[in-house]
Amino acid sequence: MSRHPLVNVDDYQAESRRILPRVLYDFVNGAALDGQTRQRNTDGFSSWWLCGRSFRSAPEIDLSLELFGTKLGAPILIAPTGASGLLWPRGEAEVARAASSRGIIMQVSAGSILSMEEIAAAAPGPKWLQLFLYKDRGLTTEFLQRAKAAGYQAVCVTTDAPVHGRREQDIRNGFTIDQRLSLGTLLDAAIHFRWWLRMIGQPRFSMQNFAGRAKGNMTDMAAYIAAVLDPGVTWDDFSWLRAQWDGPLVVKGILHPADAREALERGADAIQVSNHGGRQLDGTLSSIDALPAIADAVGGRAPILLDGGVRRGTDVLKALALGATACAIGRAHLWGLAVAGEKGVAAIIDILTSEMRNAMTIGGWTSIGQLDRSAVTRIPAHQTGEEI
């Protein structure tokens, strides 16, 4: 563990960099091309400034909300992250337990190391399955049936990954993970011995949701998954999916207000503003920059979720003020997982909620429902002479 207290997400990321093999750290932190969108996801929050009010604070701050009939402890979700079980033994189960203990939703990736059934059984609490529309619609239907049988509350369909983005660092690294030490990995093992030691004795890595369809090592399985992605998906395919699933259906990857309107017209129950963490198309709009126009287009007809660049509790508050219902954290929770498993993920959630409570107490908002566009401004008002 670090010699210094880990007090924010950046601290956990720095500690993860010391723990994880370089190729794995680069995989988690990586982005498409030059990483401009990944950077803007984070930097975009600094374009907005909170506008607190005086003499409105209260000793108790209410962070709770209801989503699809489920009472949640905070407006935070765990975003779906593929292969997160590479960071910690049975990593997705660790994440599930942390989310359950904090009363928040876990969005489970179709590309998880553990099966969706194992993750569902790891802890109580609401879970959503993230999936794609595959070329083999039978595979998509099978996933829906398995999700329903395992008790998943909702399905979150990803729209922004018809093919994998070009992640140059992974290409340079020849991203593969093999627990067996060889001459080529001895030096890396010596430097990152903590990761290697905790992974000793674990089953060989495999994406269990695809067991029986793809065989071989992680590289072979990743190649299979890439091959079954459908680059020809249309809105009519989404309508087909809507007819197959009778529970809440979330559309993840929306950046354009016209797409948000189309999704609702075709039966979506929620919109997730996302650019896949900047891992797909570089140079595209950041999530927080896209949010206001999408919120206007949705007009309160459905919940709006946001993921991408959330690293502070104040980031969450700004997103809520601009129209989001809740925010999902991707890399942020992975840094906690890499450092301390379930305890690390819970610590990240606690850090964000603590930062939210602190900011809301100072700013005079006693519940998240009080955050609207009057709570933020683009630049400090004194620079423009505008009244808030």
Side-chain angles (χ1 to χ4, degrees):
M1 199 69 168
S2 172
R3 292 169 297 184
H4 305 289
L6 304 180
V7 300
N8 58 30
V9 172
D10 287 348
D11 289 345
Y12 275 86
Q13 180 174 356
E15 185 67 9
S16 295
R17 189 165 195 168
R18 287 189 282 270
I19 293 171
L20 297 175
R22 180 176 59 85
V23 64
L24 187 49
Y25 175 84
D26 286 348
F27 169 69
V28 176
N29 196 48
L33 300 184
D34 297 315
Q36 293 177 316
T37 296
R38 176 192 59 190
Q39 190 62 44
R40 180 61 191 173
N41 274 346
T42 300
D43 293 347
F45 287 99
S46 64
S47 296
W48 295 94
W49 299 77
L50 292 168
C51 306
R53 302 294 300 274
S54 299
F55 296 116
R56 294 191 177 189
S57 59
E60 297 295 331
I61 300 297
D62 184 9
L63 298 181
S64 67
L65 75 158
E66 187 173 296
L67 196 54
F68 298 148
T70 300
K71 183 73 172 292
L72 305 176
I76 296 172
L77 294 81
I78 299 294
T81 51
S84 56
L86 296 175
L87 306 184
W88 192 275
R90 297 180 57 81
E92 291 96 357
E94 298 281 311
V95 176
R97 286 190 285 270
S100 177
S101 71
R102 297 307 186 263
I104 67 172
I105 290 167
M106 178 184 182
Q107 296 179 321
V108 176
S109 171
S112 56
I113 299 297
L114 298 180
S115 71
M116 66 180 84
E117 291 84 0
E118 289 178 286
I119 299 168
K127 297 177 185 68
W128 300 355
L129 180 68
Q130 173 260 358
L131 85 164
F132 303 88
L133 281 159
Y134 300 106
K135 292 176 184 176
D136 179 357
R137 293 294 188 261
L139 176 59
T140 304
T141 302
E142 176 190 311
F143 274 33
L144 293 174
Q145 293 170 344
R146 291 171 59 187
K148 186 172 185 178
Y152 281 76
Q153 181 189 39
V155 161
C156 181
V157 60
T158 294
T159 70
D160 60 1
V163 296
H164 287 323
R166 187 172 175 83
R167 300 164 199 166
E168 294 176 349
Q169 197 59 37
D170 287 347
I171 296 171
R172 293 189 186 99
N173 289 336
F175 176 61
T176 58
I177 295 291
D178 194 324
Q179 293 162 266
R180 294 174 299 178
L181 294 181
S182 65
L183 290 175
T185 59
L186 283 174
L187 178 58
D188 191 63
I191 297 172
H192 303 103
F193 65 92
R194 283 184 285 177
W195 182 86
W196 286 99
L197 286 175
R198 73 188 181 207
M199 290 300 182
I200 289 174
Q202 294 301 309
R204 191 169 178 82
F205 295 126
S206 177
M207 294 180 179
Q208 288 299 314
N209 286 324
F210 297 91
R213 291 180 176 268
K215 299 179 181 179
N217 59 26
M218 282 284 292
T219 303
D220 296 334
M221 195 151 296
Y224 166 81
I225 294 170
V228 297
L229 292 176
D230 188 353
V233 170
T234 69
W235 280 110
D236 288 341
D237 294 302
F238 174 78
S239 294
W240 171 85
L241 179 67
R242 173 70 282 180
Q244 306 304 308
W245 178 257
D246 59 5
L249 183 59
V250 182
V251 183
K252 180 181 184 296
I254 298 293
L255 292 174
H256 197 290
D259 288 336
R261 287 190 290 266
E262 180 84 14
L264 295 183
E265 289 169 7
R266 295 207 179 232
D269 297 295
I271 302 297
Q272 189 152 337
V273 182
S274 172
N275 52 42
H276 219 94
R279 296 170 69 81
Q280 285 296 98
L281 176 62
D282 197 25
T284 195
L285 198 60
S286 78
S287 297
I288 192 64
D289 290 331
L291 176 60
I294 291 174
D296 288 343
V298 171
R301 290 178 288 164
I304 298 175
L305 312 173
L306 176 143
D307 69 73
V310 176
R311 300 179 72 88
R312 286 287 189 185
T314 49
D315 294 341
V316 178
L317 300 186
K318 292 173 184 180
L320 298 184
L322 291 171
T325 306
C327 290
I329 54 173
R331 291 184 183 90
H333 90 268
L334 293 179
W335 303 136
L337 178 64
V339 172
E342 175 188 346
K343 292 181 180 179
V345 177
I348 292 293
I349 298 168
D350 290 345
I351 286 169
L352 294 176
T353 54
S354 176
E355 290 174 349
M356 290 177 65
R357 286 193 177 90
N358 180 264
M360 290 174 68
T361 301
I362 296 170
W365 305 288
T366 60
S367 69
I368 58 175
Q370 294 176 349
L371 290 156
D372 57 23
R373 292 199 186 178
S374 69
V376 289
T377 188
R378 265 286 188 185
I379 56 177
H382 69 268
Q383 292 188 11
T384 64
E386 297 175 349
E387 291 187 3
I388 301 172

